[in-house]
Amino acid sequence: MKRFGIGGAALLLALALGYAMLELGPARLDLRPAVAAHLADSGVRHPVTAVLLNYRGYDTLLEVAVLLLALFAILAVTPPGPARRPAPADPLLQMLARLAVPLMLVASFYLLWAGAFRPGGAFQAGAVLAAALVLLHLTGQLPGWPTPGALLRGGLAAGLLVFLGVAAALLIEGSLLQYPPAWAGRLILLIEFCLTGSLGLILAGLFLFLCQAEGERR
Amino acid sequence: MSTGLLFALVGAALFPLGAAGLLLQRHLLRRILAFNLMGSGAFLVLVGLAQRQDVPDPVPQAMVLTGIVVAVAATALALALTRRLHALTGRLELPEAAHD
């Protein structure tokens, strides 16, 4: 009975949403001209990157803080254990991983650099970096991370700290995260560079800290 | 019908599907998956509606990018909690409410 009730309600919601979207008129508030008008002052040439790191830098700053917070919570709920290394994979797979990782590093840097003028940026680059670390772990060449040491902690927090530092330094200009147009490009690149490293470590940490807990049961 | 509108309609179908799954499934992994389905539906609606016209609006796209990253973090946290629950109780379901 409950199944049918919830299923029916979900179907009704889907139909209502679909109908609303088909009947939707053009957007009352168009932000595209505003984004395009200030693109020259934003320091980058791609509108999405400009929105992420300049117009709505707040969002990105808090997003990195949320990521770091999730990682802290994961560290808090997984009891520390000895560093676990999965059984070494097939030598062929290990070789392939070793070949792929340098290419992934190059791809990550390219994505970071490309973010200024085409789709790309710190988050995509960080995701590729994290994938490289996870790949090394899965082929048995990188042990899972136990409780992070000082170096790893520094790396995890560097992105957020640099971002906060830039935001605080810009307070003398008057308002938080309002880059002077002449410096915007360089500041955004600095922030994105540090964010890429930290995001790679954080996203990889979500996996590598979590897989530590496996050994704890029996 | 434009591609953007098609994306939005698929998103509008995915969101209730995920919501129903979240309410009906008991297994925690299925619930996490259903929750992610809801999130993906919302992202598709945002991105799809933003590109109904010829030039896509970059603001919703940037918001979805932020949302995806937060969703990944939330999923990882949910998995960590699920895993801890499994290690402590050996179960992958939340205890039933008393009146249920």
Side-chain angles (χ1 to χ4, degrees):
Chain A
M1 197 58 227
K2 190 177 146 203
R3 289 188 85 85
F4 286 112
I6 293 176
L11 191 64
L12 277 182
L13 179 61
L15 289 177
L17 281 176
Y19 177 72
M21 267 159 216
L22 286 174
E23 291 297 308
L24 200 62
R28 195 85 54 80
L29 179 69
D30 197 353
L31 289 173
R32 287 171 296 167
V35 170
H38 298 285
L39 200 55
D41 290 337
S42 71
V44 290
R45 276 176 286 153
H46 191 64
V48 175
T49 311
V51 172
L52 268 180
L53 282 153
N54 199 332
Y55 308 150
R56 296 198 58 94
Y58 260 156
D59 284 3
T60 310
L61 181 63
L62 291 177
E63 167 190 13
V64 182
V66 165
L67 260 181
L68 209 54
L69 202 63
L71 192 73
F72 289 161
I74 286 176
L75 279 173
V77 296
T78 47
R84 261 186 77 258
R85 187 188 282 267
D90 198 329
L92 190 63
L93 278 180
Q94 288 195 17
M95 232 296 268
L96 274 177
R98 271 189 217 143
L99 282 178
V101 165
L103 293 177
M104 288 167 93
L105 286 184
V106 173
S108 165
F109 266 98
Y110 172 72
L111 278 172
L112 171 64
W113 188 252
F117 52 89
R118 53 164 55 200
F123 290 97
Q124 290 88 332
V128 173
L129 208 58
L133 287 174
V134 171
L135 187 67
L136 278 182
H137 175 76
L138 288 178
T139 49
Q141 297 172 88
L142 179 76
W145 291 343
T147 345
L151 196 65
L152 187 53
R153 283 182 205 189
L156 289 167
L160 182 64
L161 291 181
V162 167
F163 208 156
L164 274 179
V166 171
L170 288 173
L171 270 179
I172 9 174
E173 292 276 319
S175 70
L176 201 65
L177 282 174
Q178 192 167 37
Y179 312 116
W183 279 83
R186 271 166 271 182
L187 285 177
I188 288 181
L189 193 64
L190 171 74
I191 291 174
E192 281 210 292
F193 189 78
C194 299
L195 273 188
T196 302
S198 283
L199 283 170
L201 287 178
I202 292 175
L203 290 173
L206 294 180
F207 191 93
L208 292 176
F209 287 125
L210 209 50
C211 67
Q212 279 299 115
E214 226 168 60
E216 135 212 29
R217 293 188 302 114
R218 274 171 287 285
Chain B
M1 187 192 295
S2 67
T3 328
L5 194 56
L6 190 65
F7 284 154
L9 285 176
V10 171
L14 280 182
F15 185 86
L17 198 65
L22 192 63
L23 291 173
L24 288 174
Q25 299 291 342
R26 301 231 67 92
H27 195 286
L28 281 174
L29 278 183
R30 288 176 190 241
R31 284 198 165 179
I32 294 173
L33 274 178
F35 195 70
N36 269 291
L37 209 56
M38 280 173 76
S40 304
F43 296 151
L44 269 176
V45 169
L46 268 173
V47 168
L49 286 185
Q51 49 178 268
R52 274 176 308 160
Q53 293 110 349
D54 39 354
V55 188
D57 186 343
V59 178
Q61 290 197 2
M63 283 179 169
V64 167
L65 197 55
T66 306
I68 289 174
V69 176
V70 172
V72 167
T75 306
L77 180 57
L79 287 174
L81 290 174
T82 307
R83 190 155 199 180
R84 191 79 190 121
L85 183 79
H86 184 60
L88 289 178
T89 65
R91 290 153 52 87
L92 276 171
E93 287 170 9
L94 290 178
E96 294 277 333
H99 57 82
D100 203 18

